[in-house]
Amino acid sequence: MLTLSNVEVVYDKVFLAIKGVSLEVGEGDMVALLGANGAGKSTTLKTISGLLAPERGEVTRGSVEFLGENIVGSGPPKRVDMGLVHVLEGRRIFGHLTPDDNLLAAYRSGGSRTRLNELREQVYTYFPRLKERARTKAGYLSGGEQQMLAIGRALMTEPKLIMLDEPSLGLSPLLVQEIFAIIKEINEKQGVSVLLVEQNASAALEIVKHAYLIENGGIVMSGEAERLRQNPDVQEFYLGGTDRVDYHNVKHYRRRKRWLA
């Protein structure tokens, strides 16, 4: 469904943000893109959704293909029409509108009211809390409810692929577990492909089938989620580690990630 081939992105014609990034998301797949702050995760998503231009970024090499079409030259509205939707980091809901109006704002222009009502009820089925607070201004919702609204708003566009940028940001572990379970349910019930960007590698690897690890703007590892979970470097640097070094009993300690060695 989605293929990035050797993509490079430059900001302000100077700063190389991502270099030679290649990844794939198949139809109905759930794929995670993992990495630390500043690794290039959000830039990769903005490259796919077409949101680089407002931040003075541009693709200088490579291709982004969605449903067999190179979309590098296409604007964000066309990409949404094709079924590609991006839930931005930090939720970015319309705080002065109600949840109901937020969902309405995302529905395509010229669509039927019947279909609008069907999609809205579908969102409220996944997120009952939003229905309870449908007439409250969205800015007064809790962080978890706002994240639910951001995902629900994306579903109003009837996506084929939904990209989620740090959906766990600022949420409690229980709420993260709940939202990730709903994302998995959407994937399984509706067949919507998911590209999940996360710093919370442990939670992400629990629900995805395949994962990529990005560092310093480049993909350094990819494979089945279980294989990455068992990798000792991923365990130490991204999953909290299983073995701790007793620095009192060693004279010199130097541990490097194997892919940098």
Side-chain angles (χ1 to χ4, degrees), residues 2-184:
L2 174 73
T3 305
L4 272 68
S5 301
N6 199 31
V7 172
E8 289 189 353
V9 169
V10 173
Y11 285 108
D12 288 324
K13 301 187 183 299
V14 175
F15 176 66
L16 183 62
I18 61 173
K19 47 201 173 189
V21 167
S22 297
L23 61 82
E24 291 182 352
V25 180
E27 191 169 342
D29 270 0
M30 286 194 73
V31 176
L33 180 61
L34 310 174
N37 269 336
K41 304 185 304 298
S42 294
T43 294
T44 301
L45 289 197
K46 289 172 184 174
T47 300
I48 299 166
S49 61
L51 298 178
L52 285 174
E55 297 180 355
R56 300 192 300 276
E58 62 177 330
V59 178
T60 54
R61 178 188 285 184
S63 65
V64 180
E65 292 190 4
F66 184 61
L67 300 175
E69 181 181 338
N70 191 345
I71 58 172
V72 168
S74 303
K78 181 185 175 182
R79 302 187 197 201
V80 173
D81 287 341
M82 292 176 72
L84 188 60
V85 67
H86 182 179
V87 179
L88 293 162
E89 180 183 352
R91 301 179 266 279
R92 313 286 183 91
I93 49 130
F94 301 123
H96 61 291
L97 299 179
T98 65
D100 215 49
D101 287 338
N102 267 269
L103 298 181
L104 176 61
Y107 185 59
R108 69 180 182 276
S109 177
S112 71
R113 180 162 290 277
T114 302
R115 186 58 181 154
L116 166 65
N117 291 333
E118 287 173 356
L119 290 170
R120 185 162 48 192
E121 281 310 307
Q122 184 184 78
V123 170
Y124 288 148
T125 300
Y126 285 124
F127 305 109
R129 261 185 275 181
L130 293 182
K131 189 167 188 176
E132 294 168 9
R133 309 202 62 187
R135 298 298 173 189
T136 306
K137 282 194 176 182
Y140 294 117
L141 299 179
S142 69
E145 289 166 344
Q146 288 185 11
Q147 186 63 68
M148 292 173 184
L149 179 57
I151 297 170
R153 193 173 57 179
L155 293 176
M156 294 296 291
T157 68
E158 301 184 76
K160 295 182 177 71
L161 169 64
I162 184 168
M163 299 186 297
L164 300 158
D165 194 351
E166 302 281 6
S168 70
L169 188 68
L171 304 183
S172 70
L174 279 176
L175 203 47
V176 170
Q177 194 174 14
E178 181 184 344
I179 287 175
F180 276 28
I182 294 169
I183 292 167
K184 189 173 183 180

Side-chain angles (χ1 to χ4, degrees), residues 213-233:
L213 182 59
I214 187 169
E215 281 203 357
N216 300 318
I219 301 293
V220 294
M221 186 183 294
S222 67
E224 296 298 315
E226 184 59 30
R227 188 168 77 84
L228 264 72
R229 195 185 292 113
Q230 298 302 326
N231 182 280
D233 287 318

